[in-house]
Amino acid sequence: MDSMLTITDVARRSGVASSALRFYEERGLIASERAGSGHRRYPRSVLRRIAFIVFAQRIGLTLEEIGAELAKLPADRVPSRRDWSRLSGRWTKRIDQRIAELQRLRSGLTECIGCGCLSIDRCSLANPADMAGRKGPGPRYWLG
């Protein structure tokens, strides 16, 4: 147990609140062992799993998707670099989609997005008489 980390150690090192760590554990995303005192103790390798969870959330994966991805890792040993590479390599398309979405958002902040407000001076050229509204609700130029 000496090489194990306390929840405080893990929170400090990972930058994730202790309450979030307990939540991840409840969801089966990470696991701990209990010390004789009943306190949680984590293997150092949990830091990689937590970093993975944080990164995956930042690119838009749900906790269910993250759990499904983590389930692909070997349960009988600490995942290797190759294991992690295989797992994250599948995300390239999703990351590219997220980048494109953020670029549309950035350019749309000062341009007509087809939402129907017609309040930006360029709306009369890009969306005359709210023609985008005929394509459906919401910011049609963002949504496609």
Side-chain angles (χ1 to χ4, degrees), residues 7 10-11 14 16-25 30 42 50:
I7 194 167
V10 173
S14 68
V16 174
S18 296
S19 58
L21 296 174
R22 286 188 289 274
F23 177 74
Y24 293 160
E25 191 169 348
I30 61 174
Y42 297 90
I50 294 165

Side-chain angles (χ1 to χ4, degrees), residues 41-62:
R41 296 287 189 261
Y42 297 90
R44 187 165 286 280
S45 61
V46 78
L47 294 170
R48 171 73 70 158
R49 289 179 76 92
I50 294 165
F52 178 88
I53 293 165
V54 170
F55 178 76
Q57 287 180 303
R58 290 188 70 183
I59 67 165
L61 269 69
T62 65

